[in-house]
Structures are given as structure tokens and as C-alpha cells.
Amino acid sequence: MFAQLGLPSDPAGIEGFIATHRPLENGTALYRAPFWSPAQRNFLKEEIIEDADWAPAIDELNMRLH
């Protein structure tokens, strides 16, 4: 999923991203976090709404950032 978002997708890159952006403010939907670009925000929102293939990975990222 990180590659889909245009972010480093190796384990160190993923852990670094999470460490940098955590914790999200309570009540903030993942796709509304201020660090996403408009394209990244749209991707996350659409994948969750459609319960698409990336939805489980997005849910896991959401849990790790909160």
C-alpha cells in the first residue's frame, strides 16, 4: 500500500513514516490527516468506502497511527 501512495515501502520506510506521523489526534479519520497529498487522501478514502483490497492494510495503518 505504501508504494501505491508513493511512499517508501520497505520495512524501515514504513516504520519511519509511522514514527514520524504518530499519534493522530483522537477522532481524526486516517484520510483526513494533514500529511497526505490530495491524491493520497482520495486513494485512502475511496479504498475504505469501497471496502476494496487495500482496506485491511489501511485499517492496520490507522490502528498503528492512533
Side-chain angles (χ1 to χ4, degrees), residues 19-44:
T20 300
H21 296 293
R22 132 169 235 230
L24 284 180
E25 187 175 319
N26 271 346
T28 300
L30 178 63
Y31 73 90
R32 289 191 171 153
F35 47 80
W36 301 119
S37 71
Q40 291 168 325
R41 186 173 290 115
N42 288 336
F43 171 78
L44 292 167

Side-chain angles (χ1 to χ4, degrees), residues 1-2 18 30 36 57-65:
M1 179 187 71
F2 274 72
I18 291 168
L30 178 63
W36 301 119
I58 294 168
D59 286 340
E60 181 180 343
L61 178 60
N62 185 48
M63 288 187 323
R64 293 190 67 192
L65 285 171

Side-chain angles (χ1 to χ4, degrees), residues 47-63:
E47 291 295 304
I48 289 294
I49 288 171
E50 295 173 11
D51 196 24
D53 292 340
W54 289 113
I58 294 168
D59 286 340
E60 181 180 343
L61 178 60
N62 185 48
M63 288 187 323

